[in-house]
Amino acid sequence: MRTSHSSLLAVGLAVCACVVLLAPSAAPAQPIEPIRHSDTTAHPDTSRDQASARRRSGTPLSVTDAIQVALEESYSLRDVQLDVRNADARIQSAWGRLYPQLDATGNYTRNIRTANPFAGSDVTGLFAGGSATDWVAFNERARLEDNRRISFEEFQRRRRQGQREAGITPGGGGGNPFGVANQFTGALRLRQTLYNGQAIAAVQGAQTLKDLNQTALDRQKRVLVNEVRQAYHDALLARAQIDVARQGLQRAQETFREVSQQVSAGTVPKSERLSAEVERANRETQLVQARSDYASALDGLKQTMGIDADAAIQLTGDLEADHRDQYAEVSVQSAVDRALRNRSDLERARLNAELQEVRKDTEQARYFPTVAAVANLSMSGRIPSDRTSVISDPTDPFEFDTRTRGVFADSYWNPSLSVGLELSWNLFDGFQRRSSIQQQEVAVQRAELQVSQLRQSVRIQVQRALRNLEAARQRIQSQSTNLETARTNYRFAQQRLGQGVSSPFRVREASRQLDQSRLNYLQAVRDYMNAKSAFETAVGQPAGVPDAASFETARLE
């Protein structure tokens, strides 16, 4: 029994110890592990395993690398590239209307029954009488040679006997001597266009369309560079917001510990500790949300770049407003002039106006004829099913033999060759051409109107981009001063709290002001970097080629 009681006592002590260890306490929570810039996921505990973090940190990616990847993988850019390839195919198709055209045709006909073309006419008598002429010639030779002449019936009887001895069955007559069972025809037709106004205009239009699509591709590249930059800057801001939230949480934890000590000492009421605990919980929520926003910003960057959503990347850039005075003294007129010279979308609008002019010329070309040279080569074959013929001895009309010719015998095949010119001219089409020309004239006017409208839009865009750039530069300067003030204010509040002459509420308020000031500064830097990229895009400047020196310097009013 003693052993049993000792065992029960030991089990009871162990359970009590576990309850004490697992029970919640008022001690301050352990600080959350700070997230590193290399983290690309929203999980806060990945940094605990360093090896796993290195594997999951992803490929280092600078903003230049992101732009290069986007220029190769972007879906929108590849779509415009397909338009350029399609324009190349249309050019080839347009030239094809001016190249020689070679057509080949062939047919075969099997004549089951062929009508006699001379049926019912007196010409059929020419083929009657069988071998009467041969009988006359035989008796004439017999007379000259003093031989015995024979009657026509005897002549025919001896011929039939000779045919039977040769294995030839005499025909019963009544057939069609002009009918052929098998007919083959093969032909080649070569046609070369000498003049076709529509085809010539179509070639010019296809080339203009290719130039138009190429300018669209150039513009899309510059727009894509700006989009990648802004997405990259947004991701940098989201990453910086994690640091702001993390530091705010650390300050909230420190405040909670200090307030807990003061509560324990009885210098402040317990409500202050509850308030500090609520503040700490709110800071933890903000950190979780900041990490989630960073993951979403990375997803947006990947989508803009056109890479797989599961790709692991590590941003190597930082929010830095370098060269803030780069475009500080650029005049509006200088920037507008640069944009009017370099903007690809403006050049595209001009090419579109030229394309409408070409299409108008294409419609006007319908008033002119089409001239072409043609050459026809054909081969026809008339091949009977029975290609066996009877041959008689010229010296003996009663001796016969047979001969069989092949399918490709020269007597069955006949070639034909012809050359000439073709002219096609539509003289009246119900006023359709005139109506089409009028429609194209309207299209030309609309395209020219779009060019003028776009020029005004470019001017407004450049002015707005310069204003935004200047405003962002001023916000950075203002928020930089404000951030230093907020840091000083928080430091003083902490010191006064430690001296017991301030309340925890003042410290929390100073902490929130410091975080908000940091966020405002970081947003100002992000806005400046985006405004700078937008200005370079607005003036049509190539990506990554700052050229502020070529602008006329006159500070924006």
Side-chain angles (χ1 to χ4, degrees):
M1 293 296 294
R2 292 181 179 178
T3 305
S4 177
H5 285 297
S6 300
S7 301
L8 291 175
L9 182 60
V11 172
L13 292 175
V15 171
C16 293
C18 292
V19 171
V20 172
L21 292 176
L22 296 177
S25 63
Q30 294 296 325
I32 296 178
E33 183 73 17
I35 188 170
R36 292 179 172 82
H37 288 175
S38 61
D39 293 339
T40 58
T41 65
H43 301 288
D45 58 345
T46 54
S47 59
R48 296 178 181 177
D49 188 353
Q50 298 297 329
S52 176
R54 283 193 296 269
R55 289 193 301 268
R56 301 175 61 182
S57 61
T59 304
L61 188 73
S62 66
V63 64
T64 303
D65 297 333
I67 292 174
Q68 292 178 351
V69 172
L71 292 177
E72 296 178 359
E73 303 295 337
S74 172
Y75 292 104
S76 59
L77 191 61
R78 283 188 286 176
D79 183 68
V80 180
Q81 288 173 342
L82 291 177
D83 291 338
V84 176
R85 292 176 56 186
N86 183 63
D88 288 332
R90 296 189 64 170
I91 291 176
Q92 295 178 359
S93 176
W95 274 108
R97 299 177 60 183
L98 298 175
Y99 289 155
Q101 307 292 323
L102 182 62
D103 299 321
T105 59
N107 63 73
Y108 164 73
T109 303
R110 173 70 178 182
N111 297 314
I112 305 301
R113 183 179 182 83
T114 305
N116 188 348
F118 302 106
S121 64
D122 296 336
V123 75
T124 56
L126 296 175
F127 307 101
S131 56
T133 55
D134 294 337
W135 169 68
V136 173
F138 175 80
N139 283 338
E140 181 62 20
R141 287 197 303 272
R143 184 185 65 81
L144 294 176
E145 297 175 358
D146 295 331
N147 293 329
R148 185 177 66 86
R149 289 179 291 179
I150 61 177
S151 64
F152 181 67
E153 290 76 7
E154 177 65 17
F155 180 81
Q156 287 184 323
R157 184 188 65 77
R158 292 177 64 179
R159 283 179 63 88
R160 287 193 294 272
Q161 181 179 359
Q163 290 175 352
R164 286 193 295 271
E165 292 176 353
I168 302 172
T169 302
N176 184 0
F178 300 99
V180 178
N182 303 287
Q183 289 184 330
F184 296 88
T185 303
L188 290 176
R189 176 180 173 83
L190 178 63
R191 187 178 187 275
Q192 173 60 59
T193 300
L194 301 180
Y195 175 77
N196 187 337
Q198 287 184 289
I200 297 174
V203 172
Q204 183 181 357
Q207 183 61 51
T208 304
L209 178 62
K210 179 183 178 181
D211 296 339
L212 187 149
N213 290 336
Q214 185 63 50
T215 57
L217 178 61
D218 296 339
R219 179 58 183 173
Q220 183 60 34
K221 287 181 178 180
R222 299 183 181 184
V223 171
L224 178 62
V225 168
N226 182 52
E227 292 176 351
V228 172
R229 283 175 172 173
Q230 294 194 2
Y232 193 92
H233 298 159
D234 292 343
L236 290 179
L237 176 61
R239 188 182 68 182
Q241 289 174 341
I242 294 177
D243 290 337
V244 174
R246 176 177 54 80
Q247 293 179 12
L249 176 59
Q250 291 176 350
R251 290 194 301 270
Q253 289 172 342
E254 294 174 358
T255 302
F256 178 78
R257 286 193 294 268
E258 293 176 358
V259 171
S260 297
Q261 293 174 359
Q262 293 177 354
V263 170
S264 300
T267 57
V268 295
K270 294 182 179 180
S271 60
E272 291 292 342
R273 184 174 62 187
L274 294 176
S275 179
E277 187 174 2
V278 171
E279 179 69 15
R280 184 185 63 180
N282 290 336
R283 294 289 186 170
E284 290 176 350
T285 302
Q286 293 175 2
L287 178 59
V288 173
Q289 183 62 42
R291 285 169 171 164
S292 177
D293 293 342
Y294 179 50
S296 299
L298 288 179
D299 292 338
L301 175 60
K302 295 174 187 177
Q303 183 177 9
T304 305
M305 293 169 57
I307 62 177
D308 189 76
D310 297 330
I313 58 176
Q314 174 188 357
L315 304 186
T316 60
D318 290 308
L319 284 176
E320 296 179 358
D322 295 334
H323 307 291
R324 277 186 279 175
D325 58 345
Q326 183 175 2
Y327 299 111
E329 298 182 356
V330 172
S331 67
V332 174
Q333 188 59 44
S334 176
V336 170
D337 292 342
R338 170 69 66 87
L340 295 179
R341 291 194 305 268
N342 296 343
R343 284 282 290 263
S344 300
D345 53 344
L346 189 57
E347 179 65 19
R348 182 187 182 189
R350 298 192 192 100
L351 289 174
N352 182 57
E354 293 182 7
L355 181 61
Q356 301 306 322
E357 287 283 358
V358 172
R359 290 176 177 174
K360 176 183 174 182
D361 296 340
T362 303
E363 295 299 329
Q364 290 177 339
R366 294 172 59 186
Y367 281 108
F368 300 98
T370 299
V371 182
V374 295
N376 297 287
L377 173 64
S378 64
M379 179 68 74
S380 61
R382 296 169 56 84
I383 305 172
S385 298
D386 185 7
R387 295 183 296 278
T388 301
S389 59
V390 178
I391 304 174
S392 61
D393 190 345
T395 60
D396 188 352
F398 309 116
E399 293 290 333
F400 297 93
D401 196 1
T402 59
R403 182 182 65 181
T404 302
R405 287 176 289 185
V407 174
F408 298 100
D410 294 339
S411 57
Y412 296 147
W413 297 90
N414 296 285
S416 174
L417 177 63
S418 64
V419 296
L421 294 175
E422 284 186 358
L423 184 142
S424 176
W425 198 349
N426 182 270
L427 300 179
F428 181 73
D429 64 349
F431 305 106
Q432 295 183 23
R433 288 174 293 194
R434 186 175 66 180
S435 176
S436 298
I437 292 174
Q438 291 174 350
Q439 294 177 22
Q440 284 303 129
E441 288 177 349
V442 172
V444 170
Q445 295 175 1
R446 179 177 287 110
E448 292 175 348
L449 182 63
Q450 291 174 351
V451 172
S452 300
Q453 183 180 7
L454 184 57
R455 288 175 64 91
Q456 295 299 325
S457 178
V458 168
R459 181 181 297 274
I460 293 175
Q461 290 176 14
V462 172
Q463 292 176 351
R464 183 187 299 116
L466 268 176
R467 286 195 299 266
N468 293 339
L469 186 61
E470 182 65 20
R473 185 184 296 109
Q474 293 177 2
R475 285 201 305 272
I476 289 178
Q477 183 177 358
S478 174
Q479 291 302 322
S480 177
T481 304
N482 185 55
L483 178 58
E484 291 300 325
T485 303
R487 287 173 178 169
T488 303
N489 181 48
Y490 177 74
R491 187 169 60 253
F492 287 167
Q494 276 188 318
Q495 293 175 357
R496 292 170 62 84
L497 179 64
Q499 296 171 359
V501 295
S502 180
S503 65
F505 173 77
R506 297 296 182 183
V507 175
R508 291 195 298 271
E509 183 65 22
S511 177
R512 283 193 292 267
Q513 291 177 356
L514 176 59
D515 291 342
Q516 188 61 45
S517 298
R518 288 192 63 194
L519 290 177
N520 291 341
Y521 174 77
L522 292 173
Q523 289 174 356
V525 173
R526 188 276 311 269
D527 293 344
Y528 171 78
M529 297 172 71
N530 287 347
K532 180 180 176 182
S533 178
F535 171 73
E536 293 177 352
T537 304
V539 298
Q541 189 164 301
V545 186
D547 192 15
S550 62
F551 291 94
E552 293 182 6
T553 56
R555 183 174 294 277
L556 178 67
E557 298 296 336

